[in-house]
Amino acid sequence: MTQENLLIYPTVDLFLYDLADGLGQTDSEVNQNRQQFWQKVYGETLTPQLLEKLKIAETNANYIDLLGDKQCEDFKDAVDGYYYPVKLGDTYALQIDSSGNAQPPEKQLQPQEIGCLEAIRREICDRRIHNSNATIGQSWLIWGQLTASDQDALATAKNCYQEFKLFENCQWEGNFQKTGEFLGANFYELWQHPSDREDISTNRHLLICLFPHTADGSISAAAEIMTLLYPDFIQLFRFRNKVIWAYQQSRQLKSDLKKAAVAIQNIVDKLPQQVTADNLDLKDLQKNLVKSLTIFSIYANYISRLEEQENTIKTNLKNYKKRLKKIATDRESNPDALQIATDGESSPDALLFLKTFSDFASDKYVEQVKSDRASLTAGLRLLENAIETIKGIIEIEQTKSDRALNATIAIVGIGLATSGVAASIISTQVSNPPTPANKIAPYPAFWLSMAIGIFPVAIGMIFLAIKRRIKF
């Protein structure tokens, strides 16, 4: 066995991120988010009483140690590891650290085969988080110390990648992104982002950190560096995973918008036929208007949510870049902490290898969502124009109907007035009580006055009918 297959104190860390309270979520949904997160730590031992106690620890601060002064929850068995849960704004973050089976101090410095990395990863997934998925995303970190001064760090990193078996199709050239050196350690970043049609659970991210061999073989220097970097990695990986998560959310919104756009186009295509029909059906137009307004409301909501995801990507990318710069400058402003590093490198450019992601996301994610929002917003304007057209037609038809009704009422009024006048004239010819000389009785007078009133009404209705026929 070559020394490139060995590491001193190989350690695996999983950084997992869950949504705590999303925009618009109800109290019930927030409580469910909390329960799902803590089940990753306590599994079946999570009781309602313990969950309520853990809830009390949550405040509105941006960084909360959810276990208080205790901070970490050590594994209860013979495995050397712990949970470190925190809440970062609207996000739960959980670091699971494991170095495999606990070893006595004298054996911790003995080289171990890199093949143990897969067993550690599986143990974390199966027993520590109970095979549950992160709702936002996760990142993996492998770190350890080289066993000899002439050990090839790159070859060792490749072996770590192969043995860890995180990626489905293990091809170093396809997943490897960048390498760099920081605080004396060699870093190698690998990733595999989900396609537009894949679920967020297919996201893969791995950072390998290999420290140089020390003369006495002690790992205290490497452990101290990792203790300094862990809080920064928790924040950095949070921003990274939220960028990818927001982009995947935007892909689903785009799919929904494209389906709604088909319905919009159908409405627009049928509109000319409806407005040029010989006999417009006012009820059908009103139904079409209600349908159009409903689609408009849904479509506008999707556009708003797409813009929200775009802003989420931009904000977290900005924070990712700021965190990278902060990591470098913080180490530079604390030279005492850098004495453990072999060369003390801590310039602001020392973490440029991690900037590859922000460059990639800026070019692809930001521009893609921006382009999608611009093109899909056109559908909103198209539907808005269709709605205004339908409204205008309905108003015109209602105006026509109102005018016809007013004309009918006027004609009937004329008839009633004529009938009233006739009735008054005829009634003057009737003596009270009637005599044999007066041949006009009250009842015939009534029917005569009605006939006189109906005659102008009939003439008026015929005139209106002829006028409408000539117009249309």
Side-chain angles (χ1 to χ4, degrees):
M1 179 180 295
T2 63
Q3 59 187 10
E4 280 70 30
N5 287 311
L6 299 173
L7 275 180
I8 296 176
Y9 203 67
T11 303
V12 176
D13 287 279
L14 171 61
F15 297 86
L16 183 148
Y17 301 91
D18 279 342
L19 187 64
D21 41 79
L23 184 64
Q25 285 195 321
T26 63
D27 290 342
S28 176
E29 290 171 326
V30 171
N31 290 334
Q32 186 177 5
N33 293 343
R34 181 182 298 109
Q35 181 176 354
Q36 290 176 348
F37 173 75
W38 284 111
Q39 280 178 338
K40 293 179 173 69
V41 179
Y42 294 104
E44 295 180 355
T45 63
L46 180 65
T47 63
Q49 294 77 16
L50 177 57
L51 188 62
E52 187 64 28
K53 180 180 179 181
L54 294 167
K55 177 182 176 181
I56 296 173
E58 297 183 21
T59 64
N60 293 324
N62 289 327
Y63 193 108
I64 310 167
D65 286 314
L66 293 175
L67 295 179
D69 295 336
K70 183 181 178 181
Q71 291 193 331
C72 298
E73 182 76 42
D74 292 331
F75 294 165
K76 304 299 184 182
D77 47 29
V79 176
D80 181 11
Y82 60 85
Y83 298 100
Y84 176 52
V86 295
K87 188 178 182 185
L88 309 172
D90 64 352
T91 305
Y92 288 120
L94 178 63
Q95 177 192 358
I96 302 104
D97 177 277
S98 178
S99 301
N101 292 328
Q103 301 288 341
E106 63 273 11
K107 289 187 177 182
Q108 287 183 352
L109 302 181
Q110 293 180 0
Q112 297 184 45
E113 293 183 15
I114 289 175
C116 70
L117 293 173
E118 183 190 8
I120 295 175
R121 180 183 65 81
R122 289 186 178 277
E123 199 269 344
I124 289 175
C125 292
D126 296 342
R127 297 186 57 195
R128 304 307 164 186
I129 61 172
H130 314 288
N131 291 309
S132 56
N133 293 321
T135 56
I136 293 179
Q138 59 189 33
S139 294
W140 292 87
L141 170 68
I142 297 173
W143 70 271
Q145 186 168 285
L146 301 178
T147 60
S149 57
D150 60 346
Q151 185 172 347
D152 189 329
L154 177 59
T156 305
K158 288 182 178 180
N159 289 335
C160 290
Y161 164 81
Q162 291 290 339
E163 295 295 337
F164 198 55
K165 298 179 181 178
L166 176 64
F167 299 83
E168 292 183 3
N169 299 316
C170 289
Q171 295 181 348
W172 174 272
E173 293 76 14
N175 301 133
F176 174 70
Q177 302 301 322
K178 204 82 171 179
T179 183
E181 187 175 344
F182 183 61
L183 299 181
N186 291 301
F187 287 84
Y188 306 87
E189 187 176 31
L190 304 103
W191 75 56
Q192 179 180 304
H193 294 164
S195 68
D196 289 358
R197 296 182 180 181
E198 289 181 323
D199 187 76
I200 192 67
S201 61
T202 62
N203 179 38
R204 300 287 184 269
H205 179 226
L206 173 63
L207 187 64
I208 300 173
C209 173
L210 301 178
F211 290 91
H213 178 69
T214 57
D216 59 356
S218 172
I219 61 168
S220 59
E224 188 174 345
I225 289 178
M226 295 312 301
T227 300
L228 288 171
L229 292 178
Y230 277 152
D232 289 317
F233 282 157
I234 289 176
Q235 292 276 23
L236 188 70
F237 296 157
R238 164 208 179 189
F239 300 135
R240 184 188 196 282
N241 281 283
K242 287 200 78 172
V243 167
I244 299 172
W245 172 77
Y247 180 73
Q248 291 304 116
Q249 295 287 305
S250 75
R251 298 308 85 197
Q252 182 60 51
L253 287 170
K254 179 182 178 181
S255 176
D256 294 338
L257 281 164
K258 290 177 72 174
K259 292 177 183 177
V262 173
I264 292 173
Q265 195 60 51
N266 288 336
I267 292 173
V268 174
D269 291 342
K270 293 178 181 178
L271 196 55
Q273 183 180 356
Q274 289 180 318
V275 299
T276 57
D278 292 337
N279 296 315
L280 287 174
D281 191 326
L282 197 58
K283 289 185 177 180
D284 282 346
L285 283 173
Q286 290 172 336
K287 289 179 181 179
N288 203 3
L289 178 61
V290 172
K291 179 182 177 182
S292 299
L293 289 170
T294 302
I295 295 175
F296 182 87
S297 176
I298 296 172
Y299 199 90
N301 180 49
Y302 283 163
I303 289 291
S304 177
R305 288 168 59 189
L306 186 63
E307 185 177 6
E308 177 190 331
Q309 299 305 328
E310 180 184 353
N311 291 332
T312 299
I313 293 172
K314 290 179 179 178
T315 300
N316 283 278
L317 268 181
K318 181 180 178 181
N319 290 335
Y320 182 89
K321 295 174 183 177
K322 288 171 63 177
R323 178 60 58 169
L324 280 180
K325 186 177 292 185
K326 183 178 183 299
I327 294 173
T329 54
D330 281 358
R331 303 291 86 79
E332 187 177 36
S333 62
N334 187 9
D336 293 339
L338 298 178
Q339 292 179 0
I340 55 180
T342 58
D343 57 6
E345 182 183 357
S346 61
S347 69
D349 294 334
L351 290 170
L352 278 178
F353 67 94
L354 289 176
K355 190 173 176 289
T356 304
F357 169 74
S358 57
D359 292 339
F360 167 83
S362 296
D363 293 339
K364 180 180 179 181
Y365 293 165
V366 174
E367 292 303 318
Q368 183 64 59
V369 177
K370 181 179 178 181
S371 175
D372 292 340
R373 182 171 58 84
S375 61
L376 291 167
T377 300
L380 195 64
R381 292 193 294 269
L382 190 65
L383 182 58
E384 192 173 15
N385 292 336
I387 289 172
E388 292 302 319
T389 301
I390 297 172
K391 282 183 177 179
I393 296 170
I394 291 175
E395 288 175 0
I396 291 172
E397 291 302 308
Q398 286 179 336
T399 301
K400 290 178 182 178
S401 178
D402 292 343
R403 285 177 180 174
L405 179 62
N406 291 336
T408 303
I409 292 173
I411 292 170
V412 173
I414 293 171
L416 290 174
T418 304
S419 175
V421 171
S424 297
I425 294 172
I426 294 171
S427 64
T428 60
Q429 305 300 318
V430 182
S431 58
N432 190 17
T435 64
N438 191 349
K439 302 300 182 182
I440 302 178
Y443 292 116
F446 169 77
W447 292 113
L448 183 60
S449 66
M450 288 296 294
I452 295 172
I454 290 172
F455 179 74
V457 173
I459 296 297
M461 295 301 290
I462 292 171
F463 174 76
L464 282 178
I466 293 172
K467 184 178 179 182
R468 287 177 186 171
R469 193 169 296 175
I470 293 173
K471 186 173 182 179
F472 294 102

